[in-house]
Amino acid sequence: MGMGNAFTSVGNDELAVFSNPAGLARSRNPRSKSGIHDFGFPGIALGGNQEGLQGIGTKSKVTLLPRKLAEKAQASPGTPTYAEAQVYPFATFGGKGAPTYLVGFPIRSQLFYRTAETAAGSLRTLQFSETTASGALGVAGSTRGGTFAYGLALRPNTRYTSLAVDADTSALTVSGLRDNVKKNAVRTNALAADVGVLFTAADFWFPTFALAIRNVPTGCSKGFINATNGKETEMCGTKRTQAGGTTPVDPDTGEDLIAPSTLVDPTEIRAGFSITPRGRISGNKVNLRIAVDVFPLPLQTGGKSYGAVDAGLGELIHAGAELFVGNALTDRGMALRAGVNDSNLAYGFTFELLGLRLEAAHYAVRMGLRDQKRYDKRYLIGLSTGW
């Protein structure tokens, strides 16, 4: 995210399963005899937007996080508060000349509050929480010289989505929110599939072309809120099946507030290009990787949407650069990043020391609110170890 999410042609670690699974083939040397290449744990990351971080405060108890976020939203009507937490333990392995395999277990939880004025002139607080527990299974291979790489990822997952209107903030605690989610959340299941390819020309700067499809379409959902324009559309992607929970409705109109946009994960068609100018400073290899992605490429046929229909060019382009030391194809243990994501500035870094990896990013996310479009600027910091 720190380089504008322009990772389709440059991802070469465990995160490649979220941008282009072909990048897994470049996470290790295919001529290595080692069976297990990398093991990472716990892959923890915490984040939020500026309002959410202000609402939490430095002296707040973790158990009171939901209440603090809600109170901040109520004090600033129209401005959302947001917080998230995630973990991603994983292992990559594969023998000499064999494909590269990945097994991971990413879990991500999000909490969002927003207070808005109703048609009657009163204020109403919306509480949205979502937890996705997944498996990540990836396999990737490449030609002997590494010029061409290809990959497939499968992500079986269960998602708990909860939306409440006029929530009682006085009683909000982490345990109370968890109990409420268990009781009322809409539970959906899905098996997402991603495919991708990479081609690198035999050149000193390693020009690389990439194409990937995330959430290979298996169905469509009507009434999906298009994040590009805030309007309803029939969106296609990985179809989700509802397995339980209570679907919330607007207390005034009886309108379904959540189901249409939870029953499909939109397809993302990604195209990417990168080059890596290289040099030496004081005997050390220094690389500046420059990448440009275009996604999600808009496609509409038969009244059905695949990707960001009506998106402007600035919303489709993701561009970034990272400065790092070491091997241009495999090393990125220490890196500085900057980029543009949906016309918004992003930046971040990775720092490694004694087997610990610290990462941070600042970026913007386009929010799909009904009949409006806005960006939410967020921060994310992660810590992991591996061997």
Side-chain angles (χ1 to χ4, degrees):
M1 299 304 295
M3 62 181 296
N5 204 11
F7 243 52
T8 305
S9 64
V10 304
N12 64 356
D13 56 19
E14 71 278 5
L15 297 178
V17 296
F18 301 109
S19 57
N20 183 352
L24 290 174
R26 300 184 176 179
S27 66
R28 69 180 188 93
N29 187 338
R31 299 177 184 178
S32 171
K33 297 180 180 180
S34 175
I36 298 179
H37 171 70
D38 196 10
F39 175 78
F41 181 86
I44 188 170
L46 303 173
N49 61 6
Q50 183 174 345
E51 291 75 16
L53 297 178
Q54 290 175 348
I56 296 171
T58 57
K59 298 182 180 180
S60 300
K61 294 182 180 179
V62 175
T63 57
L64 298 180
L65 170 62
R67 182 191 304 177
K68 293 296 183 180
L69 292 176
E71 290 174 349
K72 180 63 176 178
Q74 291 170 342
S76 305
T79 303
T81 60
Y82 173 83
E84 67 173 284
Q86 40 185 305
V87 294
Y88 181 26
F90 74 92
T92 55
F93 52 94
K96 183 178 180 179
T100 298
Y101 300 92
L102 175 140
V103 177
F105 301 95
I107 301 175
R108 184 188 187 198
S109 292
Q110 305 174 77
L111 185 57
F112 173 96
Y113 288 93
R114 182 171 180 266
T115 298
E117 186 175 348
T118 67
S122 60
L123 292 178
R124 170 171 292 170
T125 299
L126 179 146
Q127 171 189 287
F128 174 84
S129 67
E130 188 168 82
T131 296
T132 304
S134 307
L137 308 173
V139 58
S142 67
T143 56
R144 181 174 177 81
T147 301
F148 179 73
Y150 48 90
L152 165 69
L154 298 177
R155 293 179 286 106
N157 63 84
T158 296
R159 180 173 299 155
Y160 297 85
T161 305
S162 174
L163 187 148
V165 177
D166 294 333
D168 181 9
T169 59
S170 63
L172 279 177
T173 63
V174 170
S175 60
L177 179 63
R178 182 183 63 245
D179 293 342
N180 180 66
V181 168
K182 286 183 178 180
K183 181 180 179 181
N184 298 314
V186 175
R187 180 163 61 92
T188 57
N189 299 321
L191 176 60
D194 313 320
V195 296
V197 294
L198 285 167
F199 175 78
T200 300
D203 182 271
F204 185 72
W205 282 11
F206 298 119
T208 300
F209 301 85
L211 182 66
I213 302 176
R214 295 194 71 241
N215 297 320
V216 173
T218 57
C220 304
S221 176
K222 295 182 179 180
F224 187 94
I225 304 300
N226 186 351
T228 303
N229 54 24
K231 299 185 181 299
E232 291 187 2
T233 186
E234 185 172 0
M235 185 66 70
C236 299
T238 297
K239 186 68 174 178
R240 308 191 64 84
T241 57
Q242 186 169 340
T246 304
T247 301
V249 297
D250 188 301
D252 295 330
T253 65
E255 180 184 19
D256 184 344
L257 289 172
I258 199 171
S261 294
T262 62
L263 294 181
V264 69
D265 292 333
T267 293
E268 286 186 1
I269 304 174
R270 296 175 169 228
F273 171 75
S274 64
I275 56 173
T276 309
R278 298 181 290 159
R280 287 182 178 270
I281 297 179
S282 299
N284 296 314
K285 296 180 180 179
V286 178
N287 312 279
L288 178 64
R289 178 168 285 124
I290 302 170
V292 178
D293 279 12
V294 182
F295 74 86
L297 291 172
L299 176 64
Q300 192 168 35
T301 176
K304 300 178 179 179
S305 300
Y306 302 79
V309 178
D310 295 332
L313 185 60
E315 296 171 304
L316 298 176
I317 292 180
H318 311 259
E322 58 180 350
L323 181 68
F324 61 100
V325 178
N327 186 292
L329 290 180
T330 60
D331 290 346
R332 273 212 304 269
M334 313 279 269
L336 297 176
R337 302 185 180 92
V340 176
N341 181 51
D342 286 3
S343 302
N344 290 276
L345 179 66
Y347 53 84
F349 67 84
T350 295
F351 179 77
E352 282 193 353
L353 181 66
L354 300 177
L356 293 176
R357 176 187 294 179
L358 176 67
E359 297 183 280
H362 172 60
Y363 58 97
V365 173
R366 184 170 58 229
M367 300 176 62
L369 301 175
R370 190 180 297 273
D371 296 325
Q372 60 177 296
K373 177 180 69 177
R374 63 165 293 157
Y375 292 94
D376 193 29
K377 295 184 178 181
R378 298 176 180 176
Y379 301 85
L380 191 66
I381 185 168
L383 181 66
S384 187
T385 185
W387 57 87

